[in-house]
Amino acid sequence: MSEKFLLKTIMTVISLILSSQLSVIAQSIQPCQDPKKGTWGFCNTEGKWVIKPKFETASPFEKQPDNRKLSTVSSKGLTGFVDENGKLVGPGVIFESAEAASPEVMLVKVKGKYGFMTYDGVYRQKPDYTSATQNGNEFIIGLKDKSGVVDSKGNLIIKPEFDQIDPSLPEYFRVKKGKATGLYSRDGKPLIEAKDYTSIEPFHSYWKLSKGNKTGLYDLATGMSLTDIAYEDVNSPITIDIQTLIQEQQSVGSGQLFGSRSDQKQLFQYRPD
C-alpha cells in the first residue's frame, strides 16, 4: 500500500468521524436555562454551553416550511433564530417580527420596515419596504407611497413604482400610475403599459380599454386592437353563423354599430334602429 493511498484513507476516516460527531452534536443541542440568571442558551448532552445563556427566551427546535429546524430566541423584545449547529441565523436577534411567508422565505420586520429572508438567513429582499400585504402567493409591497409585488420566493417581480396595484383579477395585476392603468401577468410580465388607458376591464376573452369616456376592445392573446377607442360602451358579443359580432353603442345617432373580426380583419357596418 503506497504512502499516498494510506494518507488519503486516513484523511477520509478522520473526515467521516468528524462529520459523525458534528451530526451527533447538532442533534443533541437543546435550549437550556441558567438557573441563576434565568436567561437561556444552548447546551449539549454533557451540559456544556454551546451558546452562552444570553437570551430572554428560547423555544424548542421546530421544523420550518423548508424542513430546516430552528429555535426562536428573543432578547430586548426582538426575535432571532438559532439552527441545530448552535449558530445564529442571519443578521442575529434583530427582528421585530418574523413569520413564515412560504416554503422559500419568511417575512421579517426590522426597524419598522419589511423584508424577505430564507430560513438559512439570506435576504432575498432587504427590509426596506414600508408595508407588505400577502395576497395569495404574492405580497403587495410598499416603498413610501409606491407599490410593487414580491413573489412567494421573495423575488421582486414588479418594482414599487405604481400608485396602486389591484390583485383582484385571478391571473393578472392591474396597476395604476397617476390616471393611467396597465396590466401585468401574475409572474410580473408587463402586458399593457400604464400610459395610454384610464381603465382596463376583462370582457369575455377580450379586454375593454378606455380613455376617458371612450371605450374599445383589445385582444391580449394577439396584442391587437379589435376596435378603435371611440365608443361609449361595448355590450356582450352575439354569435351569428361562424363570426362573433361585437355589439357596440355609438354616441352618434340612434343606431347600433356592429363589427365582426374574421382572420384578424375588422369589418364594421352601422345599422339604424
Side-chain angles (χ1 to χ4, degrees), residues 157-211:
I157 60 172
I158 299 179
K159 293 181 180 180
E161 59 186 14
F162 296 101
D163 299 319
Q164 182 181 348
I165 293 182
D166 175 13
S168 62
L169 298 174
E171 298 179 15
Y172 306 95
F173 290 107
R174 266 184 300 217
V175 300
K176 205 165 187 67
K177 184 182 289 187
K179 294 182 178 180
T181 302
L183 194 70
Y184 276 72
S185 65
R186 218 64 183 188
D187 61 358
K189 180 182 177 181
L191 302 174
I192 300 175
E193 290 190 45
K195 63 178 184 179
D196 293 326
Y197 309 109
T198 53
S199 72
I200 298 174
E201 298 292 338
F203 180 76
H204 299 270
S205 57
Y206 306 121
W207 293 81
K208 286 184 182 183
L209 304 184
S210 299
K211 291 182 180 180

Short mmCIF file of all heavy atoms in Angstrom, two decimals, residues 157-211:
data_model
loop_
_atom_site.label_atom_id
_atom_site.label_comp_id
_atom_site.label_asym_id
_atom_site.label_seq_id
_atom_site.Cartn_x
_atom_site.Cartn_y
_atom_site.Cartn_z
N ILE A 157 -40.93 41.07 -8.44
CA ILE A 157 -41.39 40.86 -9.83
C ILE A 157 -42.02 42.12 -10.43
O ILE A 157 -42.08 42.25 -11.65
CB ILE A 157 -42.35 39.66 -9.93
CG1 ILE A 157 -43.59 39.87 -9.06
CG2 ILE A 157 -41.65 38.37 -9.56
CD1 ILE A 157 -44.66 38.80 -9.27
N ILE A 158 -42.51 43.02 -9.59
CA ILE A 158 -42.97 44.33 -10.07
C ILE A 158 -42.36 45.39 -9.16
O ILE A 158 -42.58 45.38 -7.95
CB ILE A 158 -44.51 44.44 -10.06
CG1 ILE A 158 -45.13 43.38 -10.98
CG2 ILE A 158 -44.95 45.84 -10.51
CD1 ILE A 158 -46.65 43.42 -11.01
N LYS A 159 -41.58 46.26 -9.73
CA LYS A 159 -40.89 47.27 -8.93
C LYS A 159 -41.91 48.22 -8.28
O LYS A 159 -42.97 48.50 -8.86
CB LYS A 159 -39.93 48.08 -9.81
CG LYS A 159 -38.75 47.28 -10.32
CD LYS A 159 -37.84 48.15 -11.17
CE LYS A 159 -36.65 47.34 -11.68
NZ LYS A 159 -35.75 48.18 -12.52
N PRO A 160 -41.61 48.72 -7.09
CA PRO A 160 -42.54 49.64 -6.41
C PRO A 160 -42.52 51.03 -7.04
O PRO A 160 -41.86 51.94 -6.54
CB PRO A 160 -42.02 49.65 -4.96
CG PRO A 160 -40.58 49.30 -5.07
CD PRO A 160 -40.45 48.38 -6.23
N GLU A 161 -43.23 51.15 -8.16
CA GLU A 161 -43.28 52.42 -8.88
C GLU A 161 -44.70 52.85 -9.23
O GLU A 161 -44.89 53.83 -9.93
CB GLU A 161 -42.44 52.32 -10.15
CG GLU A 161 -42.89 51.22 -11.11
CD GLU A 161 -41.95 51.06 -12.30
OE1 GLU A 161 -40.83 51.59 -12.23
OE2 GLU A 161 -42.35 50.40 -13.27
N PHE A 162 -45.69 52.10 -8.71
CA PHE A 162 -47.08 52.38 -9.06
C PHE A 162 -47.84 52.96 -7.87
O PHE A 162 -47.55 52.65 -6.71
CB PHE A 162 -47.76 51.11 -9.56
CG PHE A 162 -47.16 50.58 -10.83
CD1 PHE A 162 -46.28 49.50 -10.80
CD2 PHE A 162 -47.43 51.17 -12.05
CE1 PHE A 162 -45.71 49.02 -11.97
CE2 PHE A 162 -46.86 50.71 -13.22
CZ PHE A 162 -46.00 49.63 -13.18
N ASP A 163 -48.83 53.79 -8.20
CA ASP A 163 -49.66 54.39 -7.15
C ASP A 163 -50.61 53.36 -6.55
O ASP A 163 -50.98 53.46 -5.39
CB ASP A 163 -50.46 55.56 -7.72
CG ASP A 163 -49.56 56.67 -8.25
OD1 ASP A 163 -48.54 56.97 -7.59
OD2 ASP A 163 -49.85 57.21 -9.32
N GLN A 164 -50.98 52.37 -7.33
CA GLN A 164 -51.92 51.36 -6.85
C GLN A 164 -51.72 50.06 -7.63
O GLN A 164 -51.43 50.07 -8.83
CB GLN A 164 -53.36 51.85 -7.04
CG GLN A 164 -54.43 50.91 -6.54
CD GLN A 164 -55.82 51.45 -6.79
OE1 GLN A 164 -56.00 52.60 -7.13
NE2 GLN A 164 -56.82 50.60 -6.62
N ILE A 165 -51.86 48.92 -6.93
CA ILE A 165 -51.84 47.61 -7.58
C ILE A 165 -53.09 46.86 -7.15
O ILE A 165 -53.33 46.67 -5.96
CB ILE A 165 -50.57 46.83 -7.22
CG1 ILE A 165 -49.34 47.52 -7.83
CG2 ILE A 165 -50.66 45.39 -7.72
CD1 ILE A 165 -48.04 46.83 -7.58
N ASP A 166 -53.86 46.45 -8.13
CA ASP A 166 -55.11 45.73 -7.88
C ASP A 166 -54.91 44.25 -8.19
O ASP A 166 -54.73 43.87 -9.35
CB ASP A 166 -56.21 46.32 -8.77
CG ASP A 166 -57.53 45.54 -8.67
OD1 ASP A 166 -57.66 44.71 -7.75
OD2 ASP A 166 -58.42 45.78 -9.51
N PRO A 167 -54.94 43.36 -7.16
CA PRO A 167 -54.73 41.93 -7.39
C PRO A 167 -56.02 41.13 -7.55
O PRO A 167 -55.99 39.91 -7.46
CB PRO A 167 -54.00 41.52 -6.11
CG PRO A 167 -54.61 42.38 -5.06
CD PRO A 167 -54.99 43.68 -5.73
N SER A 168 -57.14 41.80 -7.78
CA SER A 168 -58.44 41.12 -7.74
C SER A 168 -58.69 40.20 -8.93
O SER A 168 -59.51 39.29 -8.85
CB SER A 168 -59.57 42.15 -7.65
OG SER A 168 -59.59 43.00 -8.79
N LEU A 169 -58.00 40.42 -10.05
CA LEU A 169 -58.17 39.53 -11.21
C LEU A 169 -57.32 38.28 -11.01
O LEU A 169 -56.14 38.38 -10.67
CB LEU A 169 -57.75 40.25 -12.49
CG LEU A 169 -58.57 41.50 -12.86
CD1 LEU A 169 -57.95 42.18 -14.07
CD2 LEU A 169 -60.02 41.13 -13.14
N PRO A 170 -57.89 37.08 -11.22
CA PRO A 170 -57.18 35.84 -10.87
C PRO A 170 -55.81 35.67 -11.52
O PRO A 170 -54.89 35.16 -10.90
CB PRO A 170 -58.15 34.74 -11.35
CG PRO A 170 -59.49 35.39 -11.34
CD PRO A 170 -59.25 36.81 -11.71
N GLU A 171 -55.65 36.08 -12.78
CA GLU A 171 -54.40 35.82 -13.48
C GLU A 171 -53.57 37.08 -13.75
O GLU A 171 -52.51 37.00 -14.38
CB GLU A 171 -54.69 35.13 -14.82
CG GLU A 171 -55.37 33.78 -14.66
CD GLU A 171 -55.67 33.14 -16.00
OE1 GLU A 171 -55.10 33.59 -17.01
OE2 GLU A 171 -56.47 32.19 -16.04
N TYR A 172 -54.03 38.22 -13.25
CA TYR A 172 -53.38 39.47 -13.62
C TYR A 172 -53.30 40.43 -12.43
O TYR A 172 -54.01 40.29 -11.45
CB TYR A 172 -54.17 40.17 -14.75
CG TYR A 172 -54.38 39.30 -15.96
CD1 TYR A 172 -55.57 38.56 -16.10
CD2 TYR A 172 -53.41 39.19 -16.95
CE1 TYR A 172 -55.77 37.76 -17.21
CE2 TYR A 172 -53.62 38.38 -18.06
CZ TYR A 172 -54.80 37.66 -18.18
OH TYR A 172 -54.99 36.86 -19.27
N PHE A 173 -52.40 41.41 -12.58
CA PHE A 173 -52.37 42.57 -11.70
C PHE A 173 -52.72 43.80 -12.55
O PHE A 173 -52.12 44.01 -13.61
CB PHE A 173 -50.98 42.80 -11.11
CG PHE A 173 -50.56 41.77 -10.10
CD1 PHE A 173 -49.61 40.82 -10.42
CD2 PHE A 173 -51.12 41.76 -8.83
CE1 PHE A 173 -49.21 39.88 -9.50
CE2 PHE A 173 -50.72 40.81 -7.90
CZ PHE A 173 -49.77 39.88 -8.23
N ARG A 174 -53.70 44.57 -12.09
CA ARG A 174 -53.92 45.88 -12.69
C ARG A 174 -53.09 46.89 -11.92
O ARG A 174 -53.11 46.89 -10.68
CB ARG A 174 -55.40 46.27 -12.65
CG ARG A 174 -56.15 45.92 -13.90
CD ARG A 174 -57.57 46.42 -13.85
NE ARG A 174 -58.31 45.85 -12.74
CZ ARG A 174 -59.58 45.51 -12.78
NH1 ARG A 174 -60.27 45.68 -13.89
NH2 ARG A 174 -60.18 45.00 -11.73
N VAL A 175 -52.37 47.71 -12.62
CA VAL A 175 -51.52 48.71 -11.97
C VAL A 175 -51.98 50.10 -12.39
O VAL A 175 -52.54 50.28 -13.47
CB VAL A 175 -50.03 48.51 -12.33
CG1 VAL A 175 -49.56 47.13 -11.87
CG2 VAL A 175 -49.79 48.68 -13.82
N LYS A 176 -51.74 51.06 -11.51
CA LYS A 176 -52.17 52.43 -11.81
C LYS A 176 -51.02 53.39 -11.50
O LYS A 176 -50.40 53.31 -10.43
CB LYS A 176 -53.40 52.79 -11.00
CG LYS A 176 -54.25 53.89 -11.63
CD LYS A 176 -55.62 53.95 -10.99
CE LYS A 176 -56.55 54.92 -11.71
NZ LYS A 176 -56.90 54.49 -13.08
N LYS A 177 -50.74 54.24 -12.45
CA LYS A 177 -49.73 55.27 -12.29
C LYS A 177 -50.36 56.60 -12.69
O LYS A 177 -50.59 56.85 -13.88
CB LYS A 177 -48.50 54.96 -13.15
CG LYS A 177 -47.35 55.94 -12.96
CD LYS A 177 -46.19 55.60 -13.88
CE LYS A 177 -45.48 54.34 -13.45
NZ LYS A 177 -44.25 54.10 -14.26
N GLY A 178 -50.66 57.41 -11.70
CA GLY A 178 -51.43 58.62 -11.99
C GLY A 178 -52.82 58.22 -12.45
O GLY A 178 -53.50 57.43 -11.81
N LYS A 179 -53.24 58.74 -13.60
CA LYS A 179 -54.55 58.37 -14.16
C LYS A 179 -54.46 57.19 -15.13
O LYS A 179 -55.48 56.69 -15.60
CB LYS A 179 -55.15 59.58 -14.89
CG LYS A 179 -55.49 60.74 -13.97
CD LYS A 179 -56.13 61.88 -14.75
CE LYS A 179 -56.51 63.03 -13.83
NZ LYS A 179 -57.13 64.16 -14.58
N ALA A 180 -53.26 56.73 -15.40
CA ALA A 180 -53.07 55.66 -16.39
C ALA A 180 -53.12 54.29 -15.73
O ALA A 180 -52.60 54.08 -14.64
CB ALA A 180 -51.73 55.85 -17.10
N THR A 181 -53.75 53.32 -16.42
CA THR A 181 -53.89 51.94 -15.95
C THR A 181 -53.13 51.00 -16.86
O THR A 181 -53.12 51.17 -18.07
CB THR A 181 -55.37 51.53 -15.90
OG1 THR A 181 -56.08 52.42 -15.05
CG2 THR A 181 -55.52 50.12 -15.35
N GLY A 182 -52.47 50.01 -16.26
CA GLY A 182 -51.75 48.99 -17.04
C GLY A 182 -52.10 47.61 -16.55
O GLY A 182 -52.86 47.43 -15.59
N LEU A 183 -51.54 46.61 -17.20
CA LEU A 183 -51.84 45.22 -16.87
C LEU A 183 -50.56 44.40 -16.86
O LEU A 183 -49.74 44.49 -17.78
CB LEU A 183 -52.82 44.64 -17.88
CG LEU A 183 -53.50 43.32 -17.51
CD1 LEU A 183 -54.50 43.51 -16.37
CD2 LEU A 183 -54.21 42.71 -18.73
N TYR A 184 -50.40 43.59 -15.79
CA TYR A 184 -49.26 42.68 -15.66
C TYR A 184 -49.78 41.25 -15.48
O TYR A 184 -50.85 41.04 -14.90
CB TYR A 184 -48.41 43.03 -14.44
CG TYR A 184 -47.39 44.12 -14.65
CD1 TYR A 184 -47.78 45.46 -14.79
CD2 TYR A 184 -46.04 43.84 -14.70
CE1 TYR A 184 -46.85 46.46 -14.98
CE2 TYR A 184 -45.10 44.84 -14.88
CZ TYR A 184 -45.50 46.14 -15.01
OH TYR A 184 -44.58 47.13 -15.20
N SER A 185 -48.99 40.29 -15.94
CA SER A 185 -49.31 38.90 -15.64
C SER A 185 -48.94 38.62 -14.18
O SER A 185 -48.26 39.42 -13.53
CB SER A 185 -48.53 37.96 -16.56
OG SER A 185 -47.14 38.07 -16.30
N ARG A 186 -49.38 37.46 -13.68
CA ARG A 186 -49.16 37.15 -12.27
C ARG A 186 -47.69 36.88 -11.96
O ARG A 186 -47.27 36.94 -10.81
CB ARG A 186 -50.00 35.92 -11.90
CG ARG A 186 -50.61 35.96 -10.52
CD ARG A 186 -51.62 37.07 -10.35
NE ARG A 186 -52.13 37.12 -9.00
CZ ARG A 186 -53.12 37.87 -8.60
NH1 ARG A 186 -53.73 38.68 -9.44
NH2 ARG A 186 -53.52 37.87 -7.34
N ASP A 187 -46.89 36.61 -12.99
CA ASP A 187 -45.46 36.41 -12.76
C ASP A 187 -44.66 37.68 -13.02
O ASP A 187 -43.43 37.65 -13.08
CB ASP A 187 -44.93 35.25 -13.62
CG ASP A 187 -45.10 35.50 -15.11
OD1 ASP A 187 -45.66 36.55 -15.49
OD2 ASP A 187 -44.69 34.63 -15.90
N GLY A 188 -45.35 38.81 -13.17
CA GLY A 188 -44.67 40.09 -13.26
C GLY A 188 -44.33 40.55 -14.66
O GLY A 188 -43.58 41.51 -14.82
N LYS A 189 -44.89 39.91 -15.69
CA LYS A 189 -44.62 40.33 -17.06
C LYS A 189 -45.57 41.45 -17.47
O LYS A 189 -46.78 41.31 -17.35
CB LYS A 189 -44.79 39.14 -18.01
CG LYS A 189 -44.53 39.48 -19.47
CD LYS A 189 -44.77 38.27 -20.35
CE LYS A 189 -44.59 38.60 -21.83
NZ LYS A 189 -44.86 37.43 -22.69
N PRO A 190 -45.04 42.60 -17.95
CA PRO A 190 -45.92 43.68 -18.39
C PRO A 190 -46.65 43.31 -19.67
O PRO A 190 -46.03 42.90 -20.66
CB PRO A 190 -44.96 44.86 -18.61
CG PRO A 190 -43.62 44.23 -18.83
CD PRO A 190 -43.61 42.95 -18.06
N LEU A 191 -47.97 43.44 -19.67
CA LEU A 191 -48.80 43.10 -20.82
C LEU A 191 -49.35 44.34 -21.51
O LEU A 191 -49.41 44.39 -22.74
CB LEU A 191 -49.96 42.20 -20.38
CG LEU A 191 -49.54 40.89 -19.68
CD1 LEU A 191 -50.78 40.15 -19.17
CD2 LEU A 191 -48.73 40.01 -20.62
N ILE A 192 -49.78 45.31 -20.72
CA ILE A 192 -50.24 46.60 -21.25
C ILE A 192 -49.61 47.68 -20.37
O ILE A 192 -49.82 47.70 -19.15
CB ILE A 192 -51.77 46.72 -21.22
CG1 ILE A 192 -52.41 45.61 -22.07
CG2 ILE A 192 -52.21 48.09 -21.75
CD1 ILE A 192 -53.93 45.58 -21.99
N GLU A 193 -48.85 48.56 -20.97
CA GLU A 193 -48.15 49.58 -20.19
C GLU A 193 -49.13 50.60 -19.63
O GLU A 193 -50.14 50.92 -20.26
CB GLU A 193 -47.10 50.28 -21.05
CG GLU A 193 -45.91 49.41 -21.39
CD GLU A 193 -44.81 50.22 -22.04
OE1 GLU A 193 -44.49 51.31 -21.54
OE2 GLU A 193 -44.27 49.75 -23.06
N ALA A 194 -48.81 51.10 -18.44
CA ALA A 194 -49.66 52.09 -17.80
C ALA A 194 -49.29 53.48 -18.30
O ALA A 194 -48.61 54.25 -17.63
CB ALA A 194 -49.50 52.01 -16.28
N LYS A 195 -49.79 53.79 -19.51
CA LYS A 195 -49.51 55.13 -20.04
C LYS A 195 -50.63 55.68 -20.91
O LYS A 195 -50.81 56.89 -21.00
CB LYS A 195 -48.20 55.13 -20.83
CG LYS A 195 -48.19 54.26 -22.06
CD LYS A 195 -46.85 54.38 -22.80
CE LYS A 195 -46.85 53.58 -24.09
NZ LYS A 195 -45.57 53.72 -24.82
N ASP A 196 -51.42 54.79 -21.56
CA ASP A 196 -52.41 55.26 -22.53
C ASP A 196 -53.86 55.18 -22.05
O ASP A 196 -54.70 55.93 -22.54
CB ASP A 196 -52.30 54.45 -23.83
CG ASP A 196 -50.98 54.72 -24.55
OD1 ASP A 196 -50.50 55.86 -24.47
OD2 ASP A 196 -50.45 53.79 -25.17
N TYR A 197 -54.16 54.27 -21.11
CA TYR A 197 -55.55 53.96 -20.81
C TYR A 197 -55.92 54.32 -19.38
O TYR A 197 -55.13 54.12 -18.45
CB TYR A 197 -55.82 52.47 -21.06
CG TYR A 197 -55.34 52.03 -22.42
CD1 TYR A 197 -54.22 51.21 -22.56
CD2 TYR A 197 -55.99 52.46 -23.58
CE1 TYR A 197 -53.77 50.82 -23.81
CE2 TYR A 197 -55.54 52.08 -24.84
CZ TYR A 197 -54.43 51.27 -24.94
OH TYR A 197 -53.98 50.90 -26.18
N THR A 198 -57.14 54.82 -19.23
CA THR A 198 -57.60 55.19 -17.89
C THR A 198 -58.26 54.03 -17.17
O THR A 198 -58.38 54.04 -15.95
CB THR A 198 -58.60 56.37 -17.97
OG1 THR A 198 -59.64 56.04 -18.91
CG2 THR A 198 -57.90 57.63 -18.43
N SER A 199 -58.70 53.00 -17.91
CA SER A 199 -59.24 51.81 -17.27
C SER A 199 -59.07 50.61 -18.19
O SER A 199 -59.04 50.74 -19.41
CB SER A 199 -60.72 51.98 -16.90
OG SER A 199 -61.54 51.96 -18.06
N ILE A 200 -58.94 49.44 -17.57
CA ILE A 200 -58.81 48.17 -18.28
C ILE A 200 -59.72 47.18 -17.60
O ILE A 200 -59.58 46.93 -16.40
CB ILE A 200 -57.36 47.65 -18.26
CG1 ILE A 200 -56.43 48.65 -18.97
CG2 ILE A 200 -57.25 46.28 -18.90
CD1 ILE A 200 -54.96 48.29 -18.87
N GLU A 201 -60.67 46.60 -18.35
CA GLU A 201 -61.62 45.67 -17.77
C GLU A 201 -61.71 44.40 -18.62
O GLU A 201 -61.72 44.49 -19.85
CB GLU A 201 -63.02 46.30 -17.69
CG GLU A 201 -63.11 47.53 -16.80
CD GLU A 201 -62.92 47.21 -15.33
OE1 GLU A 201 -63.14 46.04 -14.96
OE2 GLU A 201 -62.53 48.11 -14.58
N PRO A 202 -61.79 43.22 -17.99
CA PRO A 202 -61.97 42.00 -18.77
C PRO A 202 -63.34 41.98 -19.44
O PRO A 202 -64.33 42.43 -18.88
CB PRO A 202 -61.84 40.89 -17.72
CG PRO A 202 -62.17 41.55 -16.42
CD PRO A 202 -61.72 42.96 -16.54
N PHE A 203 -63.39 41.45 -20.65
CA PHE A 203 -64.63 41.40 -21.42
C PHE A 203 -64.64 40.09 -22.20
O PHE A 203 -64.08 39.98 -23.27
CB PHE A 203 -64.70 42.60 -22.37
CG PHE A 203 -65.94 42.65 -23.22
CD1 PHE A 203 -67.15 43.05 -22.69
CD2 PHE A 203 -65.89 42.29 -24.56
CE1 PHE A 203 -68.29 43.10 -23.48
CE2 PHE A 203 -67.02 42.34 -25.36
CZ PHE A 203 -68.22 42.75 -24.81
N HIS A 204 -65.26 39.04 -21.61
CA HIS A 204 -65.23 37.70 -22.19
C HIS A 204 -63.76 37.31 -22.41
O HIS A 204 -62.98 37.33 -21.49
CB HIS A 204 -66.08 37.65 -23.45
CG HIS A 204 -67.53 37.96 -23.18
ND1 HIS A 204 -68.45 36.99 -22.86
CD2 HIS A 204 -68.19 39.14 -23.14
CE1 HIS A 204 -69.63 37.56 -22.64
NE2 HIS A 204 -69.50 38.86 -22.80
N SER A 205 -63.35 36.98 -23.62
CA SER A 205 -61.95 36.62 -23.86
C SER A 205 -61.13 37.83 -24.31
O SER A 205 -59.96 37.68 -24.66
CB SER A 205 -61.86 35.51 -24.92
OG SER A 205 -62.47 35.92 -26.12
N TYR A 206 -61.74 39.02 -24.30
CA TYR A 206 -61.06 40.25 -24.71
C TYR A 206 -60.97 41.20 -23.52
O TYR A 206 -61.27 40.85 -22.39
CB TYR A 206 -61.81 40.91 -25.88
CG TYR A 206 -62.03 39.99 -27.04
CD1 TYR A 206 -63.31 39.71 -27.51
CD2 TYR A 206 -60.94 39.40 -27.69
CE1 TYR A 206 -63.51 38.86 -28.59
CE2 TYR A 206 -61.14 38.56 -28.78
CZ TYR A 206 -62.41 38.28 -29.22
OH TYR A 206 -62.61 37.44 -30.28
N TRP A 207 -60.56 42.45 -23.81
CA TRP A 207 -60.44 43.47 -22.77
C TRP A 207 -61.02 44.77 -23.27
O TRP A 207 -60.82 45.16 -24.42
CB TRP A 207 -58.97 43.68 -22.39
CG TRP A 207 -58.38 42.47 -21.73
CD1 TRP A 207 -57.90 41.35 -22.34
CD2 TRP A 207 -58.25 42.26 -20.32
NE1 TRP A 207 -57.47 40.45 -21.41
CE2 TRP A 207 -57.67 40.97 -20.16
CE3 TRP A 207 -58.56 43.02 -19.20
CZ2 TRP A 207 -57.40 40.45 -18.91
CZ3 TRP A 207 -58.28 42.50 -17.94
CH2 TRP A 207 -57.71 41.22 -17.81
N LYS A 208 -61.75 45.45 -22.39
CA LYS A 208 -62.21 46.81 -22.66
C LYS A 208 -61.10 47.77 -22.25
O LYS A 208 -60.67 47.77 -21.09
CB LYS A 208 -63.46 47.15 -21.86
CG LYS A 208 -64.74 46.50 -22.33
CD LYS A 208 -65.89 47.03 -21.48
CE LYS A 208 -67.22 46.39 -21.84
NZ LYS A 208 -68.33 46.98 -21.06
N LEU A 209 -60.67 48.60 -23.17
CA LEU A 209 -59.70 49.64 -22.88
C LEU A 209 -60.38 50.99 -23.03
O LEU A 209 -61.06 51.23 -24.03
CB LEU A 209 -58.50 49.56 -23.83
CG LEU A 209 -57.74 48.24 -23.88
CD1 LEU A 209 -56.53 48.37 -24.80
CD2 LEU A 209 -57.31 47.79 -22.49
N SER A 210 -60.22 51.85 -22.04
CA SER A 210 -60.90 53.14 -22.07
C SER A 210 -59.92 54.29 -21.93
O SER A 210 -58.90 54.18 -21.24
CB SER A 210 -61.94 53.23 -20.94
OG SER A 210 -62.92 52.23 -21.08
N LYS A 211 -60.27 55.37 -22.64
CA LYS A 211 -59.60 56.66 -22.46
C LYS A 211 -60.70 57.66 -22.16
O LYS A 211 -61.49 58.00 -23.04
CB LYS A 211 -58.85 57.06 -23.73
CG LYS A 211 -57.63 56.22 -24.04
CD LYS A 211 -56.92 56.73 -25.30
CE LYS A 211 -55.71 55.89 -25.63
NZ LYS A 211 -55.01 56.39 -26.85
#
